[in-house]
Amino acid sequence: MQNVESELEKGFEILRGCCGVPGALDYFFLQAKKYFCFEGQACGREVLILGSAFPEELLMAYHIRPHWVVGGGLAISECADSLVPRDADAVSRSALGYIKTYQEKTERKPPVIIPIAGDSQRKLSYLLEEDGWTVYPLYIMPGASSASLSFSIAGQLDEIMEKLSLRWLLPGTTRGIRRAVQKTSRAKDAFFELCNDPVIRLNGMVRHFLNLTWFYAEDLEEWTERITILRDSLRETQLPSTREYPGVLVIGSPILFPNFKVPQLLDACGLEVVNCCSWVTGKTCPPEWTGNVSIFNRQEALQQLAAVSFKHESSGAFVRNRDLYDQALRQLDGGKVRGVILHILKGQIEYDFEADRLEQLFTHRNIPVLRLETDYHDNDIEQLRIRLEAFSELLKQSIHEM
């Protein structure tokens, strides 16, 4: 586990330097360390969820702990080397490595929920079933309309929860779902207020890391409280002056901690990450469904959960990725984006299919685009640095000419 710990500490050191307030991120670092090193993790009723496309409110209503498996580490992915091909995409490899390491460190095999929208998830489902895991697939129809998608997912959610409730003899109530919705809404509100506070200038890497800690935290209510405390701390502390860097939007393959190679390079080359558009951002976007919405029965609750949970799904596996396009458009309207980084992880060609349509959008706004194809290794750092430095100079020059 030393490799994993070293990788984490390297990421923590980068983030400490970006925050400006000593100790402000310690709680979030501890959550990340527990998550990746499997230290003191709770036992009991727990479900591993591969990816982020599942309404956690439903599990919380049944008092089942959602344990997200989103991947992200290079060291953790080594456990999957014997199971997946060399050119498998880095996110799938690291997620599978996390599950295998989880089994080795905890000696547990809880049920696994796998939302399946593409071939990678389908293969991982097969590999885990062959290894004796209980897998509950959630099939997402990539080309479906919103109405038909919600109807299909609501039925599958009902079936999955029926199996889990029988497994542990758990009753689920509509009132429990309503309470869970209120809890997640408070968490989203707290994060949104932190990121949009007019007094606080939050570094892009720190903001993205905090977004990801939603998945690392064992207690969402404690996470919400800590986000609020962090906001108060940053507001009360005189932050050091920061350099004015051109703002860039990172879009495409998800950037996951502790592999922060690309954001670190952007910072070193004089570029500031304004935001990242990826499939993980929907968890802490401003909530569109608050706990005050009336839920009269279980079926209505399932329908609403399905509709809201997948409204912001921007996985590259979707045939026509409307939400990824809409996320980019909203960021451009903010006026801070001077350039766009199209981030493509090797093996995730589905994000490349979006490139042409997105580039047309950015070209129409006179915003330069740089495509970066990479993986989780450091072999190409110098090559990427040269390209990013040239891109940074281009953006700085364009600002001076305005």
Side-chain angles (χ1 to χ4, degrees):
M1 293 298 293
Q2 185 59 42
N3 289 336
V4 175
E5 291 179 354
S6 298
E7 190 175 11
L8 290 172
E9 285 302 328
K10 181 180 178 181
F12 296 158
E13 193 61 33
I14 294 167
L15 292 163
R16 286 190 189 99
C18 295
C19 179
V21 180
L25 300 178
D26 286 352
Y27 163 79
F28 303 98
F29 293 158
L30 178 61
Q31 298 306 301
K33 187 174 181 181
K34 285 182 177 181
Y35 177 85
F36 283 100
C37 297
F38 308 98
E39 295 177 354
Q41 293 192 355
C43 303
R45 298 187 293 267
E46 179 182 46
V47 172
L48 302 185
I49 306 172
L50 193 67
S52 64
F54 194 87
E56 65 259 58
E57 294 91 345
L58 198 52
L59 295 170
M60 292 160 60
Y62 281 77
H63 303 287
I64 299 172
R65 178 178 170 246
H67 188 124
W68 307 100
V69 182
V70 293
L74 177 62
I76 206 81
S77 67
E78 294 176 357
C79 291
D81 285 348
S82 62
L83 300 173
V84 295
R86 285 185 308 172
D87 54 354
D89 76 88
V91 174
S92 296
R93 176 188 289 272
S94 58
L96 183 59
Y98 182 93
I99 291 177
K100 294 294 292 182
T101 308
Y102 176 96
Q103 178 190 352
E104 294 173 4
K105 296 297 177 181
T106 67
E107 298 183 346
R108 302 199 297 266
K109 269 190 175 182
V112 182
I113 295 175
I114 302 185
I116 297 177
D119 289 337
S120 293
Q121 296 94 354
R122 197 170 287 110
K123 289 291 186 182
L124 292 181
S125 175
Y126 164 76
L127 289 172
L128 290 172
E129 284 183 327
E130 286 290 294
D131 195 36
W133 293 76
T134 301
V135 176
Y136 299 129
L138 176 65
Y139 294 101
I140 303 172
M141 300 178 291
S145 66
S146 298
S148 58
L149 179 62
S150 297
F151 182 78
S152 168
I153 288 177
Q156 294 182 72
L157 293 177
D158 196 11
E159 184 178 346
I160 290 172
M161 295 314 300
E162 178 100 8
K163 291 177 180 177
L164 290 175
S165 61
L166 287 174
R167 180 187 181 97
W168 287 308
L169 300 177
L170 300 173
T173 65
T174 305
R175 181 181 297 177
I177 295 175
R178 188 182 295 113
R179 285 197 296 265
V181 168
Q182 292 170 343
K183 183 186 296 186
T184 55
S185 293
R186 286 193 294 269
K188 292 177 182 181
D189 279 333
F191 186 77
F192 181 72
E193 289 169 4
L194 169 66
C195 293
N196 292 275
D197 191 298
V199 177
I200 299 171
R201 175 157 183 182
L202 200 60
N203 178 277
M205 274 196 291
V206 175
R207 182 172 58 248
H208 190 55
F209 168 72
L210 292 172
N211 186 4
L212 292 169
T213 60
W214 175 286
F215 303 101
Y216 308 152
E218 289 186 327
D219 186 333
L220 189 57
E221 289 183 316
E222 183 183 9
W223 181 88
T224 304
E225 182 181 349
R226 293 286 185 163
I227 287 288
T228 302
I229 291 172
L230 175 62
R231 180 192 172 196
D232 294 341
S233 174
L234 294 177
R235 284 182 63 90
E236 294 171 1
T237 306
Q238 182 64 43
L239 296 178
S241 61
T242 56
R243 294 166 289 181
E244 290 292 336
Y245 285 167
V248 294
L249 174 67
V250 181
I251 196 165
S253 298
I255 294 175
L256 301 169
F257 186 82
N259 194 273
F260 266 19
K261 177 174 74 173
V262 171
Q264 185 183 5
L265 276 170
L266 292 173
D267 187 70
C269 295
L271 297 168
E272 181 180 358
V273 179
V274 173
N275 211 335
C276 297
C277 292
S278 72
W279 57 287
V280 298
T281 57
K283 286 296 176 189
T284 44
C285 69
E288 297 186 23
W289 178 22
T290 68
N292 296 323
V293 172
S294 297
I295 303 173
F296 297 106
N297 56 58
R298 174 185 168 83
Q299 196 56 41
E300 181 183 275
L302 292 171
Q303 289 280 2
Q304 291 197 41
L305 281 171
V308 173
S309 298
F310 293 87
K311 185 172 184 178
H312 291 288
E313 176 61 46
S314 56
S315 168
F318 277 71
V319 174
R320 182 167 178 80
N321 201 324
R322 296 181 183 87
D323 195 66
L324 190 63
Y325 186 90
D326 291 343
Q327 280 190 38
L329 191 60
R330 286 195 297 271
Q331 293 299 323
L332 297 187
D333 289 341
K336 298 180 181 179
V337 176
R338 302 295 183 185
V340 174
I341 304 295
L342 182 59
H343 175 246
I344 306 295
L345 284 174
K346 293 175 182 177
Q348 288 196 329
I349 192 173
E350 61 266 23
Y351 287 95
D352 248 352
F353 280 97
E354 300 292 330
D356 183 60
R357 192 161 64 99
L358 291 168
E359 285 182 357
Q360 290 180 33
L361 168 65
F362 304 136
T363 301
H364 180 70
R365 296 292 189 96
N366 294 317
I367 295 176
V369 181
L370 177 65
R371 180 185 180 279
L372 285 184
E373 183 177 356
T374 184
D375 55 23
Y376 281 178
H377 293 87
D378 293 337
N379 304 339
D380 59 351
I381 278 186
E382 289 309 315
Q383 178 187 2
L384 295 178
R385 188 191 307 275
I386 292 171
R387 296 184 62 201
L388 286 170
E389 286 176 346
F391 190 63
S392 177
E393 288 302 316
L394 173 67
L395 297 185
K396 290 174 183 176
Q397 183 177 352
S398 67
I399 292 174
H400 293 318
E401 292 174 353
M402 292 179 63

